[in-house]
Amino acid sequence: MIYFFTSQIPALKSFKVRQRQQIIALALAHLSPSKKIILSVCKLAFLAPLFLGLAYFEGWMLIPWLLLAGLSYPLITTPIENMFALAHLDKAIDEFKQGE
């Protein structure tokens, strides 16, 4: 399942926003180097068309499109990161709880 926000992940519902972000970061840190590369390539594949499209605008017409690209960046990358983090989520939650 694709989770657009960390609050939608059932295992993270009891945590606050900052805590969920830390747990996701811990889970992503547990990814193998090959999975990290795949994650980066996936994000690049989704973002490249967006940023390549910016090359067609000049001057002041570029500003609204830059704002749109900046705002859409987390909307595009967060679900991909959440999908990769799910595999190591239990380990990350345990690690987070031990660190408290």
Side-chain angles (χ1 to χ4, degrees):
M1 179 164 202
I2 296 176
Y3 298 107
F4 288 95
F5 304 103
T6 55
S7 60
Q8 296 174 326
I9 300 173
L12 298 179
K13 286 208 183 270
S14 63
F15 296 100
K16 295 178 182 175
V17 175
R18 288 280 184 209
Q19 293 172 328
R20 290 193 302 257
Q21 291 172 341
Q22 290 174 340
I23 292 169
I24 292 293
L26 288 171
L28 292 174
H30 289 290
L31 291 176
S32 67
S34 61
K35 291 278 187 182
K36 287 181 183 180
I37 291 171
I38 293 170
L39 171 61
S40 297
V41 169
C42 287
K43 290 189 331 188
L44 183 63
F46 281 98
L47 291 172
L50 175 69
F51 287 105
L52 287 174
L54 295 175
Y56 292 104
F57 298 100
E58 295 180 6
W60 291 102
M61 288 299 299
L62 183 60
I63 291 176
W65 295 106
L66 283 174
L67 289 172
L68 180 65
L71 292 173
S72 63
Y73 179 84
L75 293 173
I76 294 172
T77 59
T78 301
I80 298 169
E81 289 176 350
N82 289 344
M83 187 174 63
F84 276 81
L86 287 176
H88 300 284
L89 200 57
D90 294 332
K91 189 187 307 182
I93 291 172
D94 292 339
E95 189 176 325
F96 178 78
K97 286 181 178 178
Q98 289 175 358
E100 285 186 323

